[in-house]
Amino acid sequence: MPRWMPVYEDDMTHWLWDNAQRYQWWLEIRFRAAKTPGMRYVGDTNIRIRVTYGEWPVTIAYLGTRWHADERAVISFLEALEEDGLITRRKNGLVTVISVCGFEKYCFNMQNNGKAPLPEGSVDIEYEMQNPEHDTPLGCISDETQIEKHYATRSDTADETQSRTRPYLHKRKEIKELLIDGKREREKDFLEKLKKSESTLEGMAMSLHCELSDLLAVADDFSNATITTEDWHPTFSAFKKHFLNWARMRIKNQKMKYPKRINPQEAISQMRDAAEGRLHPIADLTKIDAYKQFFLGCAKKVCPGYVVRDDQRKILNDIVHWALKDYHGNLDPDRGLLLWGDIGTGKSTLLRVVRQFCNEVHPPRDGMRYWFRMTNVIDICAEFSDESRDGGYYALQTYITSSRQAFDELGSETIPTGRWGNFENVMQYVLQRRYDLRDNQFTHATTNLSLQQLSQVYSPRIYDRCKEMHNFILPLVTILIINLIHILRRTNSVLLEKL
């Protein structure tokens, strides 16, 4: 005979009820938990493990396959259940044993074909009507007094069940309140930590094109909003990311609501000063040798074992002139850098040296020093594939709108990247969006791909965009090889014409 488990009315007010898939997972955990202690198989393996009442031994990979979900989503779901006091977990190697808290609430005595036990002297009317061949004749329950007595005993049984579950529900409520208090204090600690981190706030202000005072003005509002809506953050990194996106929308709405009045004379003067400053370097180029030595000092600061090879001297000389905004040099100061080279040639290190050098020699702008963020493209694609509300295209806005951004190891990411069944060439999308905003942004990158491979991976259109946004920095040996290939092709074409 089939067994059954009760579904309580309180479930309708629980957060699981609003998500049919998550609620189905929760029901399966309850149904598959052990009704009696003993040996149980772990998932679909041949491993057996001893469990107690209300436990279910599984592996995360088995749950992901069974529920058709990513393993990170499974782990996040189990953590949410554990925080809510519904389950506890213990690990034994790769095996996770899930224990349902208060399992007796969901599992009545399984005697009497899975029904709740009947008191002595009472008769199960439903069973007698469905089984007329039973030894007890129907006439023995025809008395109305006996039927009323039977329903009274069933009502008493329901009251006893509620009295047993009421303390558990009260305890679970107390645990939930304690967890909420702890999360509330954690949010306040995150806010204080953010206010004390000047470098983080300066980077955010640079990304949002605003003042530090504007960020500090909305920081308290953000914290109060998250606490009121119980929108908790598990880590300080998640808190910073949410605050940056929230502040971007808040400041944008304020600017639209209270637009700044433009003084024509002041605007013309600022444009004239900007044009004059653009055409002049930021340093005295007669002291270029001193700046080159200072560049080597910054390289030693970033990487104490940094060594300049002979084939790099011309490249580093061009980069120093670019960093000092020398418009008569070989590189355009209004474009970013795209460093190409084989694995282990020091592309990422060189870009960090450039960042350190520019931070030292560039004058502060709006009270902030020159800086740009370096992010591996694999991490960007991982943020895009995040199945929470912080993933997807929402996670890419930081990398699209940042005034200065460097992408490390371009081309090493998974192409395309999937999220909820939708696939996207993430870096192709980001580069296209940054191209649209190129007038107010600098984009740097490092890659192992050749120029032809870049065109194949990100389409010829994006390759053409990259030529407008970047100065292509190629090793001297590579440049010689490219020139040699062009000479050979030209020679072969001449020979073919003569033949």
Side-chain angles (χ1 to χ4, degrees):
M1 297 294 292
R3 298 178 177 178
W4 58 272
M5 279 190 177
V7 176
Y8 292 92
E9 187 177 357
D10 294 342
D11 289 353
M12 297 181 64
T13 60
H14 199 272
W15 59 270
L16 285 169
W17 187 269
D18 298 330
N19 192 317
Q21 185 183 39
R22 299 294 193 272
Y23 190 70
Q24 180 181 353
W25 295 354
W26 167 232
L27 288 179
E28 183 170 1
I29 293 175
R30 287 163 47 180
F31 290 157
R32 293 187 175 273
K35 310 302 184 297
T36 56
M39 302 295 294
R40 293 283 296 273
Y41 283 103
V42 178
D44 55 356
T45 66
N46 293 326
I47 303 174
R48 297 183 68 192
I49 188 173
R50 184 173 297 278
V51 296
T52 60
Y53 181 71
E55 290 184 342
W56 183 27
V58 293
T59 61
I60 300 300
Y62 169 75
L63 291 179
T65 303
R66 182 172 183 82
W67 292 344
H68 304 287
D70 187 75
E71 293 185 7
R72 292 177 299 176
V74 174
I75 295 174
S76 177
F77 173 69
L78 295 179
E79 289 177 350
L81 292 181
E82 192 169 15
E83 289 182 1
D84 210 24
L86 296 178
I87 65 170
T88 58
R89 292 180 296 165
R90 59 183 176 89
K91 292 187 176 181
N92 185 6
L94 297 177
V95 179
T96 301
V97 180
I98 303 174
S99 179
V100 181
C101 299
F103 187 63
E104 63 277 359
K105 170 190 173 183
Y106 307 109
C107 184
F108 288 137
N109 189 355
M110 287 302 166
Q111 298 177 359
N112 194 26
N113 294 331
K115 299 182 179 181
L118 299 176
E120 296 182 2
S122 61
V123 180
D124 191 343
I125 297 178
E126 298 179 0
Y127 179 76
E128 294 294 341
M129 297 180 64
Q130 296 176 3
N131 299 272
E133 68 278 2
H134 193 265
D135 295 338
T136 305
L138 291 176
C140 68
I141 61 171
S142 59
D143 187 4
E144 295 181 359
T145 303
Q146 188 176 4
I147 295 176
E148 292 177 358
K149 180 180 179 182
H150 166 71
Y151 280 108
T153 55
R154 291 186 62 180
S155 177
D156 294 340
T157 304
D159 294 339
E160 292 176 2
T161 303
Q162 292 181 0
S163 63
R164 288 199 307 269
T165 58
R166 191 175 293 111
Y168 164 74
L169 295 176
H170 182 68
K171 183 178 180 181
R172 193 178 75 173
K173 183 178 179 181
E174 292 179 350
I175 294 174
K176 187 174 181 180
E177 291 178 353
L178 290 175
L179 290 173
I180 291 176
D181 292 339
K183 293 177 179 179
R184 187 180 293 112
E185 293 299 326
R186 185 175 60 187
E187 293 292 320
K188 294 180 180 179
D189 293 340
F190 286 162
L191 177 63
E192 295 299 325
K193 186 177 179 180
L194 179 65
K195 289 182 177 180
K196 295 178 181 178
S197 179
E198 296 182 359
S199 59
T200 302
L201 291 174
E202 288 179 358
M204 290 182 177
M206 182 182 299
S207 175
L208 300 177
H209 307 285
C210 67
E211 301 292 338
L212 285 176
S213 57
D214 297 335
L215 280 179
L216 294 175
V218 300
D220 292 328
D221 295 339
F222 171 75
S223 179
N224 294 333
T226 54
I227 292 175
T228 302
T229 58
E230 297 185 0
D231 191 0
W232 314 117
H233 304 90
T235 61
F236 181 58
S237 177
F239 181 87
K240 292 191 297 183
K241 183 177 180 180
H242 190 189
F243 172 70
L244 179 61
N245 293 318
W246 187 87
R248 178 181 291 106
M249 298 302 299
R250 184 69 176 269
I251 294 174
K252 180 179 178 181
N253 293 335
Q254 289 180 353
K255 290 181 178 180
M256 293 177 62
K257 187 176 181 180
Y258 304 105
K260 183 179 179 180
R261 295 185 177 181
I262 300 176
N263 187 343
Q265 296 180 353
E266 182 180 353
I268 294 173
S269 177
Q270 291 178 356
M271 293 173 62
R272 185 183 297 110
D273 294 341
E276 292 178 356
R278 179 185 179 278
L279 297 177
H280 294 85
I282 62 172
D284 186 4
L285 296 180
T286 59
K287 302 178 181 179
I288 188 65
D289 293 335
Y291 280 105
K292 291 179 182 179
Q293 293 298 324
F294 185 71
F295 183 87
L296 294 179
C298 293
K300 295 290 185 181
K301 185 184 298 185
V302 174
C303 180
Y306 192 86
V307 177
V308 179
R309 301 193 302 268
D310 292 336
D311 60 335
Q312 288 183 334
R313 294 185 181 278
K314 183 178 182 303
I315 296 174
L316 296 181
N317 181 71
D318 292 340
I319 290 178
V320 170
H321 281 269
W322 171 88
L324 298 178
K325 290 191 174 183
D326 181 7
Y327 285 87
H328 299 287
N330 296 326
L331 303 179
D332 186 357
D334 292 332
R335 297 182 184 180
L337 302 178
L338 193 149
L339 305 180
W340 179 88
D342 294 331
I343 299 174
T345 55
K347 302 180 298 297
S348 303
T349 303
L350 179 57
L351 203 56
R352 292 189 181 94
V353 173
V354 172
R355 179 175 64 181
Q356 182 65 31
F357 179 72
C358 292
N359 178 264
E360 297 287 347
V361 300
H362 279 234
R365 181 180 179 184
D366 297 332
M368 293 180 290
R369 307 291 302 186
Y370 182 97
W371 196 256
F372 59 82
R373 175 177 49 193
M374 286 186 62
T375 312
N376 195 296
V377 294
I378 297 178
D379 297 332
I380 297 176
C381 293
E383 293 184 30
F384 174 82
S385 62
D386 185 6
E387 296 181 352
S388 67
R389 67 177 184 179
D390 294 329
Y393 295 99
Y394 180 78
L396 302 180
Q397 296 303 313
T398 301
Y399 306 104
I400 292 173
T401 59
S402 177
S403 59
R404 299 187 186 99
Q405 175 67 47
F407 301 112
D408 196 18
E409 301 296 341
L410 191 66
S412 63
E413 73 275 13
T414 302
I415 302 175
T417 303
R419 180 178 185 270
W420 293 111
N422 300 318
F423 295 90
E424 177 69 74
N425 190 331
V426 175
M427 293 311 302
Q428 176 179 327
Y429 172 78
V430 173
L431 291 174
Q432 176 60 47
R433 292 293 306 277
R434 289 192 67 84
Y435 172 79
D436 298 335
L437 305 172
R438 64 190 181 281
D439 294 335
N440 299 317
Q441 293 182 341
F442 266 86
T443 304
H444 310 292
T446 67
T447 182
N448 300 327
L449 303 180
S450 64
L451 304 182
Q452 183 179 2
Q453 290 173 332
L454 279 175
S455 178
Q456 293 174 353
V457 172
Y458 298 118
S459 77
R461 182 180 50 143
I462 297 300
Y463 170 67
D464 185 69
R465 302 287 191 266
C466 288
K467 289 194 296 184
E468 295 187 39
M469 292 191 296
H470 299 104
N471 294 291
F472 281 36
I473 309 297
L474 305 178
L476 182 60
V477 177
T478 305
I479 296 175
L480 293 177
I481 292 174
I482 293 174
N483 293 335
L484 181 60
I485 291 173
H486 286 304
I487 293 173
L488 291 175
R489 287 179 178 175
R490 194 182 307 113
T491 305
N492 291 335
S493 61
V494 172
L495 292 175
L496 290 175
E497 290 178 359
K498 291 182 178 180
L499 293 176

